[in-house]
Amino acid sequence: MYKYSISLIAVVLLFTSCKKEQNEFLITKNYIGLLTDTTQVKNLKMAFPNDSIVNYKGDSIFKIPMNLVEVYDEAGKMLLILTPSKMSDPTSTINNIRIVDSRYKTDKGIS
């Protein structure tokens, strides 16, 4: 029993120590930072817990039906501008992402 518990603890430690942490500024096929292609608008606060998220509901003067979401870092620098696929729907996914910050790069260093 003692050998079984020691080997179980060793396996658990091995798996937890090998966990790969995702780079918050890496651009890959299905990820931009911590966002995936299935991230919903309602989950943006979980993806950016320390950053500011600002919703823009369009301009009433020009009647622009946009629902932009701007993401700023802790220092107030704009990171991303997101456009949901459906306006005013918290369950909709992100349709368009505009990368503003130059820290976002691919694994080959392209920003």
Side-chain angles (χ1 to χ4, degrees):
M1 181 70 180
Y2 179 72
K3 290 181 183 180
Y4 176 73
S5 61
I6 289 177
S7 63
L8 179 65
I9 291 172
V11 170
V12 169
L13 287 175
L14 178 68
F15 283 119
T16 58
S17 66
C18 293
K19 182 180 177 185
K20 186 177 180 182
E21 192 170 317
Q22 185 174 352
N23 182 354
E24 63 181 307
F25 295 108
L26 181 65
I27 301 172
T28 62
K29 183 177 180 179
N30 295 324
Y31 291 93
I32 294 182
L34 300 175
L35 296 176
T36 67
D37 53 355
T38 59
T39 301
Q40 295 180 341
V41 174
K42 66 180 181 180
N43 296 331
L44 288 176
K45 285 284 188 192
M46 292 184 335
F48 300 101
N50 299 325
D51 300 331
S52 297
I53 298 174
V54 179
N55 294 330
Y56 178 71
K57 301 284 185 186
D59 193 346
S60 61
I61 296 173
F62 297 109
K63 305 291 184 205
I64 300 172
M66 292 189 304
N67 194 13
L68 299 177
V69 178
E70 297 175 346
V71 180
Y72 295 87
D73 67 1
E74 294 173 338
K77 184 176 180 183
M78 185 182 292
L79 299 174
L80 303 166
I81 300 175
L82 311 171
T83 307
S85 54
K86 297 179 187 173
M87 290 179 47
S88 302
D89 183 9
T91 61
S92 69
T93 58
I94 304 300
N95 185 33
N96 189 349
I97 299 175
R98 180 176 174 200
I99 301 171
V100 180
D101 195 338
S102 61
R103 291 180 284 182
Y104 285 94
K105 295 181 181 181
T106 64
D107 56 350
K108 295 181 180 180
I110 300 171
S111 63

